[in-house]
Amino acid sequence: MDAILYIRFSSADQVKGDSIKRQKELGAKMAQVHGLTITETLIDRGKSAYHGKNRAEGGKLYEIEERALRGELAGKVLIFEAMDRMSRQEPLESLDLIRSLAKAGITLCESSTGTIYDGKRIAADWTRLIAILASAAAAYQSSHDKSRLVRSAWRATQTGNGMKDGKGADPRLCPDWMQVVGGVYVERKDRADMIRQMFEMSATGYGLRAIALSLKDEQRRIGWPKGELDIRRVGNLLRTRRMIGEYQPRGRTVGGGREDTGSPIKLYPPIVPLELFYKVQKGLDTRRGTGGRERRRAVNVLSHLCRCQHRNEGDNLPCGSRLTYKKPPGQQPQLTCTRYARAAGCASKTTFRYQSLLDGILDHLGTLALPNATTDQQPANVAYEWLELRKKKERLDVLADRLMLEDDPVKEAAYQRFKAQIALEENALRERSSNNERVLVAIPPAELRDRAQRLRAALADSVEARLQMQTYLDNLIDVILMNPDDRSATVILADGLLVFKLDVGGKLASSADSLLMRQERTYMMADGATQTFDPRKADRDPTEDAITERIGASIVQGLFRPTTDADEQQWRRGA
């Protein structure tokens, strides 16, 4: 009779031991005693039976179950060392596995005890089910207890309270670009230097592909990282907060996935400055979703900014789609609505002159007195709040351990409320911490403008110059509203403090400066008299409020402040 030998071990390290050899020898002995011929040997390497990974798609036991359901294994024998090699799941799950295999006509042989299970034997002596259930329960309880102990120890390690050797930094939490020396984390200089080079390149506009290709030689020289230095790996290195010293504990979900299990911990010495880290995050966010050949050529440096303002008949809101770059043969480059180009709903056929728009923006940016990146909000010290949250989480763990020993719906409800409260507090604290860090690293708009102006001459010949220009403009300009009626472009920047309009040829048509509007100024009224007012005063008289309302209404209507003083005086009379 043909037999299949099934072998499983849960840890990849066990392949170095005698687990496979022992299970093979026991299986061969079982086959010899019962006159069986082993025709297949199936091995689940590093597959956990407690989490059911050997029964999930990709596991060898999954393959056996699927073949059994199709009737391909009827009349064959399945040899395994012990019940826990097949399943360490909850007892009823294990019992159901044995029952379904036996029902499919498979004879089951446990080589460590010589026990044989099949449909006829189980039907003739139902007490065999008790033996199977008891064996499954013992395997499950053993794995469950071990899992709790391991999880508890690992949680202590993750929070810094239970390092593997009882002192100093734990090598199991050490990232590839660091090493543990004398009980502390120390950077590996060659690897850290290459990572810092990645960040510098990304901050100046290099894409993931360009970074990966540029660092191939350096990767080979230092021998790290192993394998291909590709876009995905570069992106992961640029995104992880471990670069600024932060470790995020994670654990397994019920479904076998991974999730955050606690608040982040400042565990490592940072290898990149906080300012550089956030510059890179901002650049990665603005360049997201712009891959492929067009991205490598980086033709359209305004690709993220321009938005179509066409309103289809009956629509209250403008289209809002990005504009697509195209260059018809023998013509100048043009921008057109992406939704129109893809026949996705917008009816605007209008095209805009790309080079005129770009030149007009860069020309006028050079004349603006941009505001400094300032804020009235001072970064809060949240260290004590993180400590308090950590204490609450420790209390939550104590409650969870108690609930496992009790069946009290009142306590369960209190636990769930406390857990939800902690989750809300943690999310709010993370947001505050993130915002505080961003406040510290705001880039002055004037600096972005100056960087863009220095790159301008190199745009025609350099892909990297266009990449950098795109990064700078994305950080400086909020949005560019493209009006198909007169083919004008309204450029809004500095969080809406500055607005200017360009005509079809890229020439300045009008502008509005809300910072100027907030300053104390003297205006000429329609009767020739002058009036001085401060829009920041709390006790303005009705005349001052009326002036403010007229100025605001004019801005909303698109009648921006003219660019010459003479025109401004005329505009004030008409306002």
Side-chain angles (χ1 to χ4, degrees):
M1 185 179 292
D2 291 344
I4 299 173
L5 176 59
Y6 175 71
I7 296 173
R8 184 195 66 79
F9 51 88
S10 57
S11 171
D13 291 337
Q14 289 178 282
V15 73
K16 303 173 184 176
D18 65 349
S19 181
I20 294 179
K21 179 182 177 183
R22 183 187 68 253
Q23 293 183 61
K24 281 185 175 181
E25 289 177 350
L26 286 171
K29 184 177 179 180
M30 189 76 173
Q32 184 179 6
V33 169
H34 294 280
L36 305 174
T37 302
I38 297 177
T39 58
E40 293 182 73
T41 299
L42 302 177
I43 303 176
D44 269 325
R45 303 174 186 270
K47 300 285 187 181
S48 169
Y50 176 62
H51 294 288
K53 288 191 173 182
N54 58 332
R55 297 186 66 185
E57 188 170 359
K60 295 301 181 182
L61 187 55
Y62 172 86
E63 179 184 324
I64 291 172
E65 290 189 78
E66 289 294 302
R67 290 167 64 186
L69 286 174
R70 295 194 297 267
E72 298 174 7
L73 303 182
K76 293 193 175 185
V77 178
L78 179 63
I79 302 174
F80 52 93
E81 180 186 27
M83 178 62 66
D84 61 4
R85 293 298 168 188
M86 297 281 283
S87 175
R88 284 178 172 264
Q89 294 177 286
E90 294 184 4
L92 291 179
E93 289 286 339
S94 300
L95 186 62
D96 185 62
L97 169 66
I98 299 299
R99 184 195 64 79
S100 64
L101 292 177
K103 189 176 181 180
I106 301 174
T107 299
L108 306 169
C109 292
E110 193 175 56
S111 60
S112 61
T113 63
T115 305
I116 297 177
Y117 308 98
D118 60 23
K120 290 183 178 179
R121 286 181 172 86
I122 292 174
D125 183 5
W126 61 267
T127 59
R128 290 176 181 270
L129 292 176
I130 298 177
I132 295 173
L133 191 62
S135 178
Y140 170 75
Q141 192 61 46
S142 173
S143 292
H144 183 64
D145 293 343
K146 186 188 300 182
S147 176
R148 285 191 61 194
L149 291 172
V150 170
R151 185 165 58 249
S152 178
W154 182 239
R155 184 185 302 143
T157 297
Q158 288 181 312
T159 56
N161 294 329
M163 296 308 177
K164 188 174 185 179
D165 58 2
K167 58 182 180 180
D170 194 318
R172 293 173 298 174
L173 302 181
C174 188
D176 286 349
W177 52 90
M178 289 187 180
Q179 55 189 333
V180 177
V181 178
V184 297
Y185 295 109
V186 179
E187 71 175 44
R188 298 175 183 262
K189 191 173 187 310
D190 53 355
R191 298 181 181 183
D193 285 345
M194 190 172 83
I195 289 173
R196 282 188 281 266
Q197 190 175 353
M198 289 182 184
F199 273 83
E200 292 289 351
M201 293 177 70
S202 181
T204 54
Y206 283 82
L208 300 180
R209 182 184 301 275
I211 294 173
L213 292 175
S214 298
L215 294 178
K216 291 288 187 185
D217 291 341
E218 180 67 8
Q219 177 200 14
R220 285 192 288 267
R221 186 185 71 80
I222 67 176
W224 179 85
K226 295 184 184 297
E228 188 74 14
L229 183 63
D230 54 16
I231 291 175
R232 182 177 182 181
R233 179 165 289 182
V234 172
N236 289 339
L237 289 171
L238 293 176
R239 284 293 192 183
T240 177
R241 292 180 63 87
R242 290 191 294 174
M243 299 303 177
I244 54 175
E246 190 175 285
Y247 171 72
Q248 173 63 62
R250 307 198 76 201
R252 291 190 180 279
T253 63
V254 176
R258 307 284 289 179
E259 65 178 358
D260 294 348
T261 57
S263 59
I265 307 164
K266 289 292 185 181
L267 192 61
Y268 317 110
I271 66 170
V272 297
L274 191 63
E275 178 181 0
L276 178 59
F277 180 82
Y278 273 112
K279 285 181 181 178
V280 168
Q281 304 317 301
K282 179 69 173 178
L284 292 174
D285 289 341
T286 59
R287 294 193 294 268
R288 182 178 293 168
T290 56
R293 184 175 60 184
E294 192 71 15
R295 164 67 182 158
R296 293 196 294 273
R297 295 187 337 192
V299 174
N300 180 11
V301 302
L302 303 174
S303 61
H304 308 119
L305 297 171
C306 296
R307 293 291 187 272
C308 174
Q309 293 300 288
H310 175 76
R311 284 182 171 83
N312 286 338
E313 186 176 352
D315 287 349
N316 293 324
L317 297 175
C319 166
S321 172
R322 290 182 179 182
L323 269 65
T324 295
Y325 177 98
K326 64 179 183 179
K327 189 179 184 306
Q331 300 183 34
Q332 294 295 315
Q334 300 173 353
L335 296 175
T336 189
C337 175
T338 300
R339 288 184 63 200
Y340 171 75
R342 296 177 179 174
C346 183
S348 175
K349 301 179 181 180
T350 306
T351 59
F352 301 87
R353 302 173 188 172
Y354 169 76
Q355 196 60 49
S356 297
L357 175 61
L358 178 59
D359 288 341
I361 291 172
L362 295 177
D363 286 344
H364 192 56
L365 282 179
T367 68
L368 291 176
L370 294 170
N372 291 323
T374 59
T375 178
D376 295 331
Q377 178 185 2
Q378 295 299 319
N381 184 353
V382 296
Y384 288 108
E385 294 181 64
W386 278 120
L387 181 60
E388 181 64 19
L389 184 64
R390 179 174 173 178
K391 291 179 180 178
K392 289 182 179 180
K393 286 192 168 187
E394 290 172 355
R395 289 170 55 198
L396 190 68
D397 286 342
V398 172
L399 289 175
D401 290 338
R402 290 176 181 173
L403 283 173
M404 293 184 70
L405 303 175
E406 302 174 11
D407 184 14
D408 188 333
V410 175
K411 290 183 178 180
E412 172 68 21
Y415 168 81
Q416 294 297 340
R417 288 196 300 270
F418 189 35
K419 182 178 179 181
Q421 175 191 337
I422 289 178
L424 289 174
E425 290 179 8
E426 182 170 10
N427 288 336
L429 196 50
R430 282 186 178 181
E431 183 67 23
R432 286 184 56 202
S433 299
S434 178
N435 289 340
N436 287 339
E437 289 175 340
R438 283 174 169 82
V439 164
L440 293 173
V441 298
I443 304 173
E447 180 183 339
L448 293 171
R449 185 267 315 278
D450 293 343
R451 292 182 187 181
Q453 294 297 342
R454 289 194 294 269
L455 283 173
R456 187 172 184 179
L459 290 180
D461 303 316
S462 171
V463 171
E464 297 310 325
R466 293 195 290 273
L467 289 169
Q468 293 175 48
M469 176 68 80
Q470 184 180 66
T471 299
Y472 298 150
L473 293 182
D474 285 349
N475 281 273
L476 181 60
I477 298 174
D478 299 331
V479 69
I480 304 173
L481 305 178
M482 310 299 294
N483 186 350
D485 295 334
D486 58 3
R487 293 203 293 172
S488 66
T490 300
V491 183
I492 302 174
L493 65 159
D495 293 326
L497 296 177
L498 298 171
V499 182
F500 61 89
K501 179 182 286 188
L502 303 175
D503 64 18
V504 64
K507 302 298 183 182
L508 183 65
S510 53
S511 64
D513 185 339
S514 63
L515 286 177
L516 185 63
M517 295 297 181
R518 296 177 186 178
Q519 298 173 5
E520 181 178 309
R521 297 196 65 189
T522 300
Y523 294 94
M524 181 178 294
M525 308 305 292
D527 58 2
T530 59
Q531 176 73 44
T532 301
F533 80 104
D534 184 350
R536 297 166 296 183
K537 286 169 54 179
D539 56 346
R540 295 190 302 272
D541 63 37
T543 304
E544 293 173 335
D545 287 334
I547 296 173
T548 305
E549 289 175 6
R550 290 210 304 270
I551 293 172
S554 298
I555 292 175
V556 171
Q557 295 167 10
L559 303 175
F560 304 131
R561 178 174 61 82
T563 55
T564 67
D565 290 340
D567 288 341
E568 180 178 355
Q569 296 297 335
Q570 182 64 37
W571 177 72
R572 296 297 174 193
R573 294 189 184 97

